[in-house]
Amino acid sequence: DWSLKDFDIGRPLGKGHFGKVYLARVRKPGAESFVLVLKCLAKDEVASKGVQTQVRREIEVMQQLRHPNIIRLYGWFHDSQRIYLMLEYAGQGELFKHLRKAGRFSESRSARYISQVSDGLAYLHTKNIIHRDIKPENLLLGMQGEVKVGDFGWSVYAPSEDSQRTIAGTLSYVAPEMILGQAYGRAVDIWALGVLTYELICGAEPFGADNPRTVQARICRCELSFPDFVSINARSFMHKAKNPAIHLLLVAQSSNSRPLTRLSLSTHLMDLDLLTVI
Ligand code: ADP
Ligand code: MG
Ligand code: MG
């Protein structure tokens, strides 16, 4: 029951793959006036790129999520040209933008972000959802500087851990099991969390290279080297996030009908050392 005339459109906040993202305010008679974000998706582009399923899943997945570290979807509507997602506004924008400005973050600042992202992921994973596109462009900061996971366009259900084979997401964040065409599950998000940790602390991608083939090769070899300033705890955390044994542990915890709760993931990450530097 929403349409474009129920909103005042404000400034553009970002560019998506299928259209712009705008700040907006509700001005529906009877409805409380509040600020939100409209993510516009051009129907012809969605159709020509064949991603209708992804858009449908983005909406369906986000609708069921309620977590302080995940962008809330309030509703959606469409007209003849576009689909509009009504999203919670993250007042400080992309984590990526802040990272580029700062160059790199201190380990304690990084640890704060990483623990919030992992809280969000642990919640997602209890709902059998894999995000598959964790990276600084898709992590947004709220007014208090809290992280909120956004952009569920690549998300997918994990009904069984071995049903997924598609290579999804962004090359430098893709897990080796995906590149190798193996079955994969929620652990690909944990891998991405490790890559994210590196990028926040070092200000550069861990497997960066001039051409995509080399990036893939470095990922598959788990070739990690750290600048001198990276602490032992942080190194250990990143090594564990890429370790397939840790992947398996997480998968085992979640398929053992012992749900991977927020607590168990945080406790688990405590084991992973980095959080001890907060
Ligand atoms: P795409 O699926 O096309 O990548 P995103 O959902 O990632 O689109 O949105 C594109 C950009 O718009 C983001 O990288 C960010 O800069 C901005 N943006 C998206 N959602 C929000 C939001 N809820 N609050 C603030 N900025 C946002
Ligand atoms: Mg995005
Ligand atoms: Mg997307």
Side-chain angles (χ1 to χ4, degrees), residues 92-149:
Q92 293 192 45
E94 279 174 41
L95 183 59
F96 180 79
K97 196 183 65 190
H98 294 269
L99 179 63
R100 281 296 167 270
K101 209 160 95 195
R104 58 186 165 92
F105 296 146
S106 69
E107 290 192 5
S108 61
R109 184 171 176 188
S110 304
R112 203 171 68 232
Y113 292 147
I114 294 297
S115 81
Q116 291 172 10
V117 175
S118 60
D119 280 353
L121 283 180
Y123 170 79
L124 265 188
H125 290 179
T126 61
K127 298 201 172 286
N128 279 342
I129 295 158
I130 317 178
H131 185 279
R132 300 201 300 184
D133 204 10
I134 295 296
K135 59 175 176 176
E137 294 88 329
N138 291 334
L139 299 172
L140 302 156
L141 293 185
M143 280 305 189
Q144 265 66 55
E146 72 281 24
V147 181
K148 292 174 183 284
V149 178

Side-chain angles (χ1 to χ4, degrees), residues 13-21 37 39 41 58 71 87-94 133 135 137-138 140 150-153:
L13 294 170
K15 225 180 107 38
H17 292 102
F18 306 105
K20 284 200 175 133
V21 176
V37 166
K39 177 174 174 176
L41 303 152
E58 179 169 5
I71 292 286
L87 298 166
E88 171 188 2
Y89 175 44
Q92 293 192 45
E94 279 174 41
D133 204 10
K135 59 175 176 176
E137 294 88 329
N138 291 334
L140 302 156
D151 195 355
F152 282 74

Side-chain angles (χ1 to χ4, degrees), residues 3 33 45 50 54 60 97 136 144 151 158 184 186 190 203 219 232 238 254 272:
S3 78
S33 164
E45 286 187 49
Q54 275 175 245
E60 193 193 301
K97 196 183 65 190
Q144 265 66 55
D151 195 355
Y184 63 82
R186 290 160 256 228
I190 306 299
I219 290 172
I232 301 283
M238 287 180 259
S254 50
L272 297 189

